[in-house]
Structures are given as structure tokens and as C-alpha cells.
Amino acid sequence: MRIGVSLPENLLNRFDEIILNRGYSSRSEGIRDAIRSYIVNYEWMSDVDGKRVGVITIVYDHSQRGLEDSLTHIQHEFGSIVQSSLHVHLDRDICLMVVVLNGDGQDVRKAAERMMTLKGVKHVKLTTTSLGNEL
Ligand code: NI
């Protein structure tokens, strides 16, 4: 199937640089691969289960109206499992936030998913670990 997608120019330029460096034969092949990675990541996140320690790393544009309020609001909402957060001002506009959570894996995933869909968020990464008691 063929689809049409609108993208910011700088995002497409960066994507083209990467697929050129990686040796993809076409932009379409790179996009197919990117979509597969997105799906694999989604499936991995859906499997986050049981008691987990989660680390959410968020890179965002702090000038996006309402974004910092929303990020704070989500942390309050998941306040029973949020243990700590760290904020670093990376440059004039971009901030890095790291949130450490400890609780039910599905709640950890939900908190990460809520954050990744906010406008102005550039990147969200979730990593999880457990206490290792079950190993
Ligand atoms: Ni900042």
C-alpha cells in the first residue's frame, strides 16, 4: 500500500542522513524498518508486567505551552509509584527529565505512554529492571 505522510523538513532530512549512512536502498525501506522497530518497542512495552523498577527518560521542548504542567500532573497522578525525578536543562529550549518509578509494571508503562504522546516531547525511553528476587 502507498501512504502519504506530512513531516517537518528537519525530521525528514535527519532520517534521510541516517538511511544513507546505514546503506538502505530506498527511503521506503528505511520507513518500513522504522515502523517495525516502533511496533516491536510497543509490544515490548505491553509486556512490561509484574513488579518493576522503571526509568523513564524524556527529552522535551520546555517552551511548548502547558507541557511541563502536564508532565508534573502525570507524575502526581502516578505519585504512589514515582520515587524520584531529575531535570537537566540541555540547551536554551530542550530539557531532559528522568523519572524513576517502582511498582506495577503496567502502571510504569502507562505513565511512560502518557508522557510520550504529549505535544513537544521529542523522545521518551523506558527501561525497566526488577529486584531480581524471582531469578
Ligand atoms: Ni529545563
Side-chain angles (χ1 to χ4, degrees), residues 60 62 68 87-90 94-96:
Y60 66 94
H62 85 156
E68 293 204 311
H87 184 130
V88 180
H89 314 295
L90 292 179
I94 304 301
C95 299
L96 169 82

PDB file of all heavy atoms in Angstrom, residues 60 62 68 87-90 94-96, ligand 1:
ATOM      1  N   TYR A  60      12.438  16.922  25.975  1.00  0.00           N
ATOM      2  CA  TYR A  60      11.293  17.722  25.526  1.00  0.00           C
ATOM      3  C   TYR A  60      11.651  19.191  25.385  1.00  0.00           C
ATOM      4  O   TYR A  60      12.652  19.660  25.916  1.00  0.00           O
ATOM      5  CB  TYR A  60      10.115  17.534  26.486  1.00  0.00           C
ATOM      6  CG  TYR A  60      10.342  18.082  27.869  1.00  0.00           C
ATOM      7  CD1 TYR A  60       9.928  19.378  28.189  1.00  0.00           C
ATOM      8  CD2 TYR A  60      10.956  17.321  28.857  1.00  0.00           C
ATOM      9  CE1 TYR A  60      10.130  19.888  29.468  1.00  0.00           C
ATOM     10  CE2 TYR A  60      11.155  17.825  30.125  1.00  0.00           C
ATOM     11  CZ  TYR A  60      10.736  19.117  30.427  1.00  0.00           C
ATOM     12  OH  TYR A  60      10.936  19.620  31.673  1.00  0.00           O
ATOM     13  N   HIS A  62      10.893  22.720  26.417  1.00  0.00           N
ATOM     14  CA  HIS A  62      10.211  23.318  27.573  1.00  0.00           C
ATOM     15  C   HIS A  62       9.388  24.553  27.196  1.00  0.00           C
ATOM     16  O   HIS A  62       8.564  25.022  27.981  1.00  0.00           O
ATOM     17  CB  HIS A  62      11.203  23.621  28.708  1.00  0.00           C
ATOM     18  CG  HIS A  62      11.897  24.937  28.594  1.00  0.00           C
ATOM     19  ND1 HIS A  62      12.419  25.604  29.676  1.00  0.00           N
ATOM     20  CD2 HIS A  62      12.145  25.704  27.520  1.00  0.00           C
ATOM     21  CE1 HIS A  62      12.958  26.741  29.256  1.00  0.00           C
ATOM     22  NE2 HIS A  62      12.814  26.818  27.963  1.00  0.00           N
ATOM     23  N   GLU A  68       5.227  21.290  30.611  1.00  0.00           N
ATOM     24  CA  GLU A  68       5.817  20.987  31.923  1.00  0.00           C
ATOM     25  C   GLU A  68       4.717  20.733  32.956  1.00  0.00           C
ATOM     26  O   GLU A  68       4.852  19.860  33.810  1.00  0.00           O
ATOM     27  CB  GLU A  68       6.767  22.104  32.363  1.00  0.00           C
ATOM     28  CG  GLU A  68       7.983  22.147  31.442  1.00  0.00           C
ATOM     29  CD  GLU A  68       9.232  22.762  32.052  1.00  0.00           C
ATOM     30  OE1 GLU A  68       9.113  23.858  32.627  1.00  0.00           O
ATOM     31  OE2 GLU A  68      10.309  22.140  31.926  1.00  0.00           O
ATOM     32  N   HIS A  87      15.902  16.729  36.621  1.00  0.00           N
ATOM     33  CA  HIS A  87      15.679  17.629  35.489  1.00  0.00           C
ATOM     34  C   HIS A  87      17.012  18.269  35.103  1.00  0.00           C
ATOM     35  O   HIS A  87      17.718  18.785  35.947  1.00  0.00           O
ATOM     36  CB  HIS A  87      14.672  18.705  35.927  1.00  0.00           C
ATOM     37  CG  HIS A  87      14.273  19.640  34.837  1.00  0.00           C
ATOM     38  ND1 HIS A  87      12.962  19.925  34.558  1.00  0.00           N
ATOM     39  CD2 HIS A  87      15.008  20.369  33.965  1.00  0.00           C
ATOM     40  CE1 HIS A  87      12.910  20.780  33.562  1.00  0.00           C
ATOM     41  NE2 HIS A  87      14.138  21.063  33.178  1.00  0.00           N
ATOM     42  N   VAL A  88      17.352  18.201  33.828  1.00  0.00           N
ATOM     43  CA  VAL A  88      18.584  18.823  33.324  1.00  0.00           C
ATOM     44  C   VAL A  88      18.214  19.740  32.169  1.00  0.00           C
ATOM     45  O   VAL A  88      17.496  19.326  31.246  1.00  0.00           O
ATOM     46  CB  VAL A  88      19.582  17.740  32.834  1.00  0.00           C
ATOM     47  CG1 VAL A  88      20.863  18.395  32.320  1.00  0.00           C
ATOM     48  CG2 VAL A  88      19.899  16.734  33.921  1.00  0.00           C
ATOM     49  N   HIS A  89      18.675  20.999  32.187  1.00  0.00           N
ATOM     50  CA  HIS A  89      18.424  21.925  31.080  1.00  0.00           C
ATOM     51  C   HIS A  89      19.517  21.712  30.038  1.00  0.00           C
ATOM     52  O   HIS A  89      20.660  22.116  30.250  1.00  0.00           O
ATOM     53  CB  HIS A  89      18.446  23.371  31.576  1.00  0.00           C
ATOM     54  CG  HIS A  89      17.653  23.566  32.832  1.00  0.00           C
ATOM     55  ND1 HIS A  89      16.290  23.389  32.873  1.00  0.00           N
ATOM     56  CD2 HIS A  89      18.036  23.890  34.080  1.00  0.00           C
ATOM     57  CE1 HIS A  89      15.871  23.623  34.114  1.00  0.00           C
ATOM     58  NE2 HIS A  89      16.912  23.915  34.864  1.00  0.00           N
ATOM     59  N   LEU A  90      19.198  21.081  28.925  1.00  0.00           N
ATOM     60  CA  LEU A  90      20.234  20.681  27.958  1.00  0.00           C
ATOM     61  C   LEU A  90      20.727  21.855  27.116  1.00  0.00           C
ATOM     62  O   LEU A  90      21.913  21.973  26.838  1.00  0.00           O
ATOM     63  CB  LEU A  90      19.704  19.572  27.036  1.00  0.00           C
ATOM     64  CG  LEU A  90      19.445  18.211  27.692  1.00  0.00           C
ATOM     65  CD1 LEU A  90      18.899  17.231  26.671  1.00  0.00           C
ATOM     66  CD2 LEU A  90      20.703  17.659  28.340  1.00  0.00           C
ATOM     67  N   ILE A  94      15.700  22.877  25.242  1.00  0.00           N
ATOM     68  CA  ILE A  94      15.496  21.438  25.428  1.00  0.00           C
ATOM     69  C   ILE A  94      15.865  21.001  26.849  1.00  0.00           C
ATOM     70  O   ILE A  94      16.924  21.366  27.366  1.00  0.00           O
ATOM     71  CB  ILE A  94      16.332  20.635  24.402  1.00  0.00           C
ATOM     72  CG1 ILE A  94      15.998  21.072  22.961  1.00  0.00           C
ATOM     73  CG2 ILE A  94      16.082  19.128  24.562  1.00  0.00           C
ATOM     74  CD1 ILE A  94      14.547  20.912  22.562  1.00  0.00           C
ATOM     75  N   CYS A  95      14.981  20.230  27.438  1.00  0.00           N
ATOM     76  CA  CYS A  95      15.203  19.698  28.783  1.00  0.00           C
ATOM     77  C   CYS A  95      15.207  18.174  28.743  1.00  0.00           C
ATOM     78  O   CYS A  95      14.549  17.563  27.901  1.00  0.00           O
ATOM     79  CB  CYS A  95      14.088  20.129  29.731  1.00  0.00           C
ATOM     80  SG  CYS A  95      13.951  21.900  29.917  1.00  0.00           S
ATOM     81  N   LEU A  96      15.934  17.613  29.679  1.00  0.00           N
ATOM     82  CA  LEU A  96      15.947  16.168  29.889  1.00  0.00           C
ATOM     83  C   LEU A  96      15.338  15.909  31.262  1.00  0.00           C
ATOM     84  O   LEU A  96      15.686  16.600  32.229  1.00  0.00           O
ATOM     85  CB  LEU A  96      17.385  15.646  29.869  1.00  0.00           C
ATOM     86  CG  LEU A  96      17.582  14.196  30.332  1.00  0.00           C
ATOM     87  CD1 LEU A  96      17.284  13.236  29.201  1.00  0.00           C
ATOM     88  CD2 LEU A  96      19.000  13.980  30.832  1.00  0.00           C
TER      89      LEU A  96
HETATM   90 NI    NI B   1      14.880  22.614  31.846  1.00  0.00          NI
END
